[in-house]
Amino acid sequence: MQIHASQLPNALESGVYHLNGDDEYWVAESLAKFVSIVGKESLSLHIFDKGETFSEAVGSLFSLSFTDDKSVVLVKDDILGNDVKNHKMLQELLEMDIAPNYLVLVNCSLDVKEKKLVNTINCSKLKEFECVKLAQDFFPYGIEKNALNTLCRYTGYNLLKIKNESDKLIAYCGENRIDAESVELLVAEDADIQIFNFVNSVVTGNNKAALRQLEKLKKRGEPYYGMLAMLINQFRRMLHSAISKKTDDELSEIFKVHKFAIIKARENRLFNVPKLKSALEMLIDYELKFKSGQMSDQIAFDSAIARLIAKEVN
């Protein structure tokens, strides 16, 4: 079986499953379905984390249960690794019927043969429109379209963050429909998104918005060296987007960002390739000055920001 976590049925047959993907929401939702098979308080539920061995996990799979006729074993860290003995044990399990038991591996190191034999549950992020559509269900009293789009954008289309923010918004608004003003008031953008908005304002010449976004960034308490590194990453993405012939989808996969960030980067017209190169070199130079002890991270960051806003790049 190969299926996305969003399509996972409530009734799951016994066997070996692999949760593969980096979306924490879908990993958590999938694990919850397996836990519900026996109940989170059941002695038939066995959870293995870093520091434990795969042989212990396999042993618990067939341990005698006094409360249920099945065992659910969750391996939440890659304790399988590249150990030959571990993979031999797994391959033996894949070749036998382990009914009525369940072995669930989370982002483990599987070889090509093992990937073909396990039941794979894809826990990757949904596409933007799919994420927005699903997020609507988190609001039983409704949410305005603009408010929902802003919420999804501020959280980087991360469903776990959206779910957490929805609880906060509902507690604030009660049974009223969530509006855009409430989202702006209560939800803070991810630091990467704030950096993205700041850079976008700079390159479009909107210094007023850039300064407002910069103030929001500083209020987050992010370290200056961290914000400088994010600035460098953003300008590097913009430069590669400007010179690359790859598609938006291909670049978003390479940089591990939402496609929206690549599209916006390519819409930039005021910073051509030479200016992007100059800005990137300037930022890297200030980072080196901080790392070499020539100036503090705050002075390096503030100096770089001042030059960006003043358009002191060739």
Side-chain angles (χ1 to χ4, degrees), residues 46 73-74 78 102 138 142 153 177 233 259 269 288:
H46 309 275
V73 178
L74 310 180
D78 190 8
Y102 299 78
F138 297 158
R153 189 173 68 253
R177 193 181 187 203
N233 287 336
K259 186 171 72 171
R269 293 293 180 268
L288 289 173

Side-chain angles (χ1 to χ4, degrees), residues 2 10 177 191 281 313:
Q2 293 196 11
N10 291 324
R177 193 181 187 203
E281 289 169 359
V313 290

Side-chain angles (χ1 to χ4, degrees), residues 52-54 75 77-90 105 108-111 114:
E52 298 174 286
T53 67
F54 186 65
V75 178
D77 281 288
D78 190 8
I79 59 177
L80 190 69
N82 296 315
D83 189 285
V84 175
K85 291 182 179 179
N86 287 343
H87 284 273
K88 185 177 180 181
M89 280 189 284
L90 176 60
L105 310 171
C108 283
S109 304
L110 304 183
D111 62 28
E114 291 163 350

Side-chain angles (χ1 to χ4, degrees), residues 244-261:
S244 177
K245 294 183 179 180
K246 293 183 180 297
T247 66
D248 295 339
D249 287 317
E250 289 172 333
L251 284 175
S252 67
E253 182 64 28
I254 290 171
F255 288 113
K256 304 301 180 185
V257 296
H258 197 273
K259 186 171 72 171
F260 176 77

Side-chain angles (χ1 to χ4, degrees), residues 16-292:
V16 181
Y17 291 81
H18 184 223
L19 309 188
N20 183 39
D22 59 358
D23 191 308
E24 296 177 7
Y25 176 83
W26 290 120
V27 171
E29 285 289 296
S30 300
L31 287 174
K33 286 195 175 182
F34 285 102
V35 169
S36 69
I37 293 172
V38 293
K40 62 181 180 179
E41 303 298 331
S42 173
L43 296 176
S44 297
L45 175 65
H46 309 275
I47 301 174
F48 291 84
D49 296 299
K50 189 176 182 180
E52 298 174 286
T53 67
F54 186 65
S55 60
E56 290 174 329
V58 173
S60 66
L61 189 64
F62 300 105
S63 61
L64 181 63
S65 173
F66 296 99
T67 59
D68 208 306
D69 62 349
K70 61 177 74 71
S71 292
V72 175
V73 178
L74 310 180
V75 178
K76 299 178 73 174
D77 281 288
D78 190 8
I79 59 177
L80 190 69
N82 296 315
D83 189 285
V84 175
K85 291 182 179 179
N86 287 343
H87 284 273
K88 185 177 180 181
M89 280 189 284
L90 176 60
Q91 288 168 13
E92 289 174 352
L93 287 174
L94 290 170
E95 292 173 358
M96 68 171 70
D97 182 5
I98 67 169
N101 304 318
Y102 299 78
L103 174 62
V104 184
L105 310 171
V106 180
N107 288 317
C108 283
S109 304
L110 304 183
D111 62 28
V112 175
K113 181 180 178 182
E114 291 163 350
K115 288 178 180 178
K116 290 181 179 179
L117 294 174
V118 297
N119 295 298
T120 300
I121 300 174
N122 182 357
C123 295
S124 300
K125 285 185 178 181
L126 294 174
K127 293 181 179 179
E128 177 182 330
F129 74 93
E130 294 172 324
C131 176
V132 173
K133 183 179 179 180
L134 182 63
Q136 287 180 309
D137 296 336
F138 297 158
F139 300 92
Y141 306 112
I143 181 170
E144 292 178 359
K145 184 177 179 180
N146 287 343
L148 181 60
N149 288 333
T150 299
L151 172 61
C152 291
R153 189 173 68 253
Y154 277 11
T155 54
Y157 297 90
N158 182 311
L159 274 170
L160 186 60
K161 292 181 180 179
I162 294 171
K163 182 65 174 69
N164 292 337
E165 294 294 344
S166 72
D167 294 336
K168 185 167 61 178
L169 286 163
I170 292 170
Y172 177 78
C173 297
E175 297 185 5
N176 297 313
R177 193 181 187 203
I178 309 296
D179 57 22
E181 184 178 350
S182 299
V183 173
E184 292 284 357
L185 176 66
L186 297 176
V187 181
E189 306 105 306
D190 284 352
D192 279 334
I193 295 172
Q194 288 184 341
I195 284 286
F196 169 82
N197 290 334
F198 167 75
V199 171
N200 191 55
S201 295
V202 168
V203 299
T204 56
N206 192 345
N207 286 353
K208 185 177 179 180
L211 290 171
R212 185 173 64 249
Q213 290 151 354
L214 179 61
E215 188 61 28
K216 289 175 69 176
L217 262 173
K218 290 185 175 182
K219 285 182 178 179
R220 288 179 61 97
E222 295 283 342
Y224 287 99
Y225 64 84
M227 291 192 289
L228 184 56
M230 285 187 280
L231 269 177
I232 290 171
N233 287 336
Q234 178 60 23
F235 271 93
R236 185 173 285 125
R237 280 196 291 265
M238 291 176 68
L239 177 59
H240 279 272
S241 298
I243 63 179
S244 177
K245 294 183 179 180
K246 293 183 180 297
T247 66
D248 295 339
D249 287 317
E250 289 172 333
L251 284 175
S252 67
E253 182 64 28
I254 290 171
F255 288 113
K256 304 301 180 185
V257 296
H258 197 273
K259 186 171 72 171
F260 176 77
I262 303 299
I263 293 172
K264 295 301 290 183
R266 283 181 158 167
E267 286 178 354
N268 162 49
R269 293 293 180 268
L270 295 184
F271 270 49
N272 54 25
V273 171
K275 279 190 176 182
L276 288 171
K277 285 182 178 179
S278 178
L280 181 58
E281 289 169 359
M282 180 269 291
L283 291 167
I284 292 174
D285 181 58
Y286 277 112
E287 185 180 51
L288 289 173
K289 286 178 180 178
F290 150 63
K291 289 182 176 179
S292 64

